[in-house]
Amino acid sequence: MIQSRKTSDYAICTIGSHSALQILKGAKDEDFKTICVCFKGKTQPYLSYKVADEIIEIDTIEEFFKVEKILMQKNAIVIPHGSFVSYLGHERVKKIKMMHYGSKEILEYESDRTKERQWLTKAGLLMPKVFTHPEDIDRPVIVKFHGAKGGLGYFVAKSPDEFYEKMKKFPEHEEDKDYAIQEYILGVPVYIHYFHSKLNNELEIMSFDKRYESNADSIGRIAAKDQLTADINASYTIIGNIPIVVRESLLPDLFKMGENVVKESKKIVNGGLFGPFCLETIIKKDLRIFTFEISARIVAGTNPFIEGSPYTWLRYNEPMSTGRRIAREIKEAIEGGKLEKVLG
Ligand code: AMP
């Protein structure tokens, strides 16, 4: 690893998808060179929005490990995002030799529902009840398939009979038992975007979003009787993200939740969780906050805030996206001779 304390001696790179526009734009704003590793045929956004100084095209994800050597020669630091982690899988992320921002170890916890649950409950978060046996279903549940792309195919059931009936449409999942049955929490979804700085050991809330999901977000557009006629089953395929600002009195609790998650992470992996992460929650009418998932890296819900969010504006007085916040952290680490501290 080079020892230079000049940002311009380094590049920031990621794979062209998910939140790459924001990551690369933020890196440019902080004076880094930027490289986008892109699948052939997917380069247009990165060219059109001029966020990449260089584009390296690949045919398959396996080729990432071939271009890694070139990236290393350019002193590139890779920023993992949702698609990056899902394309490579956490096992292969561990094999990355180039400079990697953030903890690799923690990605294993976010991809294993049991480990994730232990971590978050130890951090004191409320979570939906999990049903291990379909026979025990005694309330509305949401059935999630592992590795489902963006919530496609999830379904809701309220009894063992309904579960088995609906499961018939997914014989492949039934056989592998690769599903999770979670209590369905009635409330509004709120995705909390945190950033924990390893350099000053402080937790920030960057922004919030809710997801725009097909067809869950369109069912309400037709009358209940027509929904029954059309025999609609809700699905949760993510299409985009919508910014939200939360009731201010919730903020103290939301900060506490993030801090507890970071604190607990230090007990499970070396160095703990740092950088951007997201708690995916449903808030009920009695204001109880249920967390159903954690993403231990930047989430696409931060994309509406390339110019910053109301919250980052309060703190920074300049446009500060999560992508730029990452770049700033790396820049400060480089200039302070502490780059190793933010790599994992
Ligand atoms: P996930 O793939 O876990 O992010 O879930 C996809 C979507 O399903 C979320 O954005 C929520 O709208 C919904 N969802 C997930 N888990 C629950 C739950 N336990 N209760 C109610 N809705 C949920």
Side-chain angles (χ1 to χ4, degrees):
M1 205 174 90
I2 63 156
Q3 302 298 327
S4 168
R5 292 194 179 199
K6 263 171 57 197
T7 304
S8 56
D9 285 338
Y10 297 82
I12 280 189
C13 84
T14 194
I15 291 188
S17 185
H18 192 267
S19 45
L21 287 170
Q22 181 199 154
I23 291 171
L24 298 175
K25 160 86 172 119
K28 271 182 106 58
D29 288 345
E30 296 296 315
D31 308 319
F32 285 96
K33 279 178 271 177
T34 57
I35 308 169
C36 186
V37 179
C38 228
F39 288 110
K40 287 208 175 99
K42 308 271 184 194
T43 55
Q44 191 170 5
Y46 309 97
L47 290 167
S48 173
Y49 296 118
K50 303 186 192 334
V51 292
D53 294 321
E54 192 180 338
I55 292 191
I56 301 178
E57 290 185 64
I58 55 174
D59 282 310
T60 60
I61 193 66
E62 285 69 37
E63 277 180 44
F64 178 80
F65 289 99
K66 285 192 194 150
V67 302
E68 191 185 17
K69 288 187 199 76
I70 306 170
L71 296 170
M72 285 167 89
Q73 282 157 11
K74 294 175 190 281
N75 297 326
I77 301 163
V78 68
I79 314 293
H81 54 52
S83 304
F84 181 84
V85 177
S86 117
Y87 293 153
L88 283 172
H90 68 90
E91 281 302 330
R92 280 196 295 186
V93 170
K94 277 196 208 147
K95 295 198 179 116
I96 293 173
K97 290 195 218 55
M98 66 183 294
M99 291 183 278
H100 170 279
Y101 173 73
S103 162
K104 284 180 193 160
E105 269 179 276
I106 205 78
L107 295 174
E108 192 177 330
Y109 279 79
E110 65 149 38
S111 65
D112 179 321
R113 283 190 207 273
T114 315
K115 286 183 167 180
E116 176 186 59
R117 196 173 178 86
Q118 281 168 355
W119 169 20
L120 299 183
T121 36
K122 278 194 187 143
L125 302 191
L126 270 177
M127 297 192 80
K129 184 178 159 63
V130 164
F131 292 85
T132 322
H133 306 292
E135 289 73 24
D136 299 337
I137 297 174
D138 61 356
R139 63 191 85 182
V141 295
I142 180 165
V143 180
K144 303 179 177 187
F145 299 119
H146 294 148
K149 290 273 171 289
L152 182 68
Y154 289 2
F155 66 82
V156 176
K158 60 178 183 313
S159 64
D161 286 351
E162 193 178 351
F163 170 85
Y164 286 117
E165 189 54 39
K166 290 191 170 168
M167 205 64 198
K168 281 185 190 156
K169 284 196 194 144
F170 306 97
E172 68 287 8
H173 294 300
E174 170 70 280
E175 203 154 283
D176 302 346
K177 301 259 182 296
D178 64 342
Y179 51 74
I181 308 173
Q182 261 182 19
E183 172 186 9
Y184 185 87
I185 307 291
L186 190 60
V188 290
V190 175
Y191 290 68
I192 315 162
H193 315 144
Y194 295 99
F195 185 91
H196 181 260
S197 167
K198 192 79 181 275
L199 299 180
N200 63 22
N201 202 21
E202 191 184 343
L203 183 88
E204 299 166 36
I205 292 183
M206 305 296 291
S207 45
F208 301 91
D209 80 297
K210 65 173 193 166
R211 291 181 173 176
Y212 196 40
E213 292 163 330
S214 190
N215 56 16
D217 286 315
S218 61
I219 292 172
R221 301 178 68 187
I222 55 173
K225 67 175 174 37
D226 298 328
Q227 293 172 22
L228 293 175
T229 315
D231 190 22
I232 298 167
N233 281 316
S235 62
Y236 299 87
T237 309
I238 176 121
I239 306 299
N241 303 83
I242 304 168
I244 51 180
V245 168
V246 300
R247 183 174 167 159
E248 195 159 314
S249 58
L250 286 171
L251 285 173
D253 282 348
L254 302 177
F255 271 103
K256 231 338 110 266
M257 285 166 63
E259 279 169 358
N260 289 343
V261 167
V262 171
K263 200 163 141 198
E264 203 53 42
S265 75
K266 292 183 181 157
K267 298 183 193 155
I268 55 178
V269 303
N270 212 350
L273 168 68
F274 61 93
F277 68 100
C278 172
L279 290 180
E280 310 186 357
T281 71
I282 310 263
I283 307 188
K284 288 180 75 91
K285 65 176 181 192
D286 59 9
L287 298 179
R288 278 186 304 154
I289 306 165
F290 283 80
T291 305
F292 60 90
E293 192 104 50
I294 183 168
S295 296
R297 33 92 194 150
I298 186 169
V299 289
T302 59
N303 285 338
F305 307 107
I306 292 181
E307 269 290 292
S309 76
Y311 301 95
T312 61
W313 183 246
L314 291 168
R315 190 179 159 107
Y316 290 99
N317 268 320
E318 63 181 323
M320 183 59 64
S321 68
T322 293
R324 185 170 185 184
R325 184 65 188 83
I326 295 171
R328 178 146 313 171
E329 182 88 345
I330 298 175
K331 183 180 183 170
E332 283 175 7
I334 289 171
E335 290 173 353
K338 298 178 196 156
L339 179 55
E340 234 154 296
K341 221 173 164 181
V342 299
L343 302 178

